[in-house]
Each structure stands twice: as C-alpha cells, then as structure tokens.
Amino acid sequence: MKKLEAIIRHYKLEDVKNALNEVGIQGMTVSEVRGFGRQRGHKEMYRGAEYTVDFLPKAKVEIVVPDESCQMAIDTIMNVARTGQIGDGKIFVTDLAETIRIRTGESGEEAI
C-alpha cells in the first residue's frame, strides 16, 4: 500500500477529487495548508506599504491506495492539477506498513 500526499492549488481541489472518483479511488483526507517552495510567495501593497506574503494557501490531499493503483492515482492528480505555472505543487509517495479500520478491525488493503 502507498500513501500519496499531494500539495495542490486550492482551486484545483474539486477537479482532483472528481477525477480520482472517476478512476475508482474513494476516500481522501483534505487539509488547508500554507507554504512555499520555489514560488517564494509574492509582494502586495497595503495602505501604501509593500510587504511580502511568504506562505501561500494550498490544499493537501492524502489518499491511501493499493500498490497497483499508485501510478494511476499519481497520473490523475498530475494531469488535473497541472497548470504549467510555478506553484502547481508536489506529490509525496510513502510506503505504508499497515492500515487498520478502527470500526471493524480489518487490516491491510481491506481497511482502505
């Protein structure tokens, strides 16, 4: 099993969610996060003073998939979330040792 953490633009969240559902991936956790990478934020004016906004709002999507669905999920997220501009985000892939459904006690892929 793999855990995918995708940091994407917040306005792409609904599109990513719908695309993942269409390819059969159900269940995800979404968090509103703030951060920066190469994008380094941007400058804004407020009451005549210029200031730098370092941390930009992003959405963090976390999903757990069987190994055989991992590449399909990555490709789906990349195709839908990509705008071609700096700041499109990143996908982190982690191996999972175990998954347990609290309600039933199921473990492994059955718990997904």
Side-chain angles (χ1 to χ4, degrees), residues 64-103:
V64 176
V65 295
D67 289 341
E68 59 271 7
S69 300
C70 184
Q71 192 59 51
M72 177 183 56
I74 291 170
D75 293 342
T76 300
I77 295 168
M78 284 180 53
N79 290 334
V80 174
R82 179 182 293 136
T83 67
Q85 303 294 316
I86 291 176
D88 277 350
K90 299 241 186 327
I91 300 173
F92 303 99
V93 181
T94 308
D95 285 318
L96 285 183
E98 188 67 69
T99 302
I100 301 165
R101 185 185 312 264
I102 294 172
R103 179 177 56 87

Side-chain angles (χ1 to χ4, degrees), residues 42-61:
H42 61 276
K43 296 189 184 308
E44 290 187 2
M45 293 290 284
Y46 180 72
R47 295 189 179 185
E50 184 177 81
Y51 67 98
T52 302
V53 178
D54 289 331
F55 295 102
L56 300 173
K58 301 287 183 180
K60 180 179 179 181
V61 178

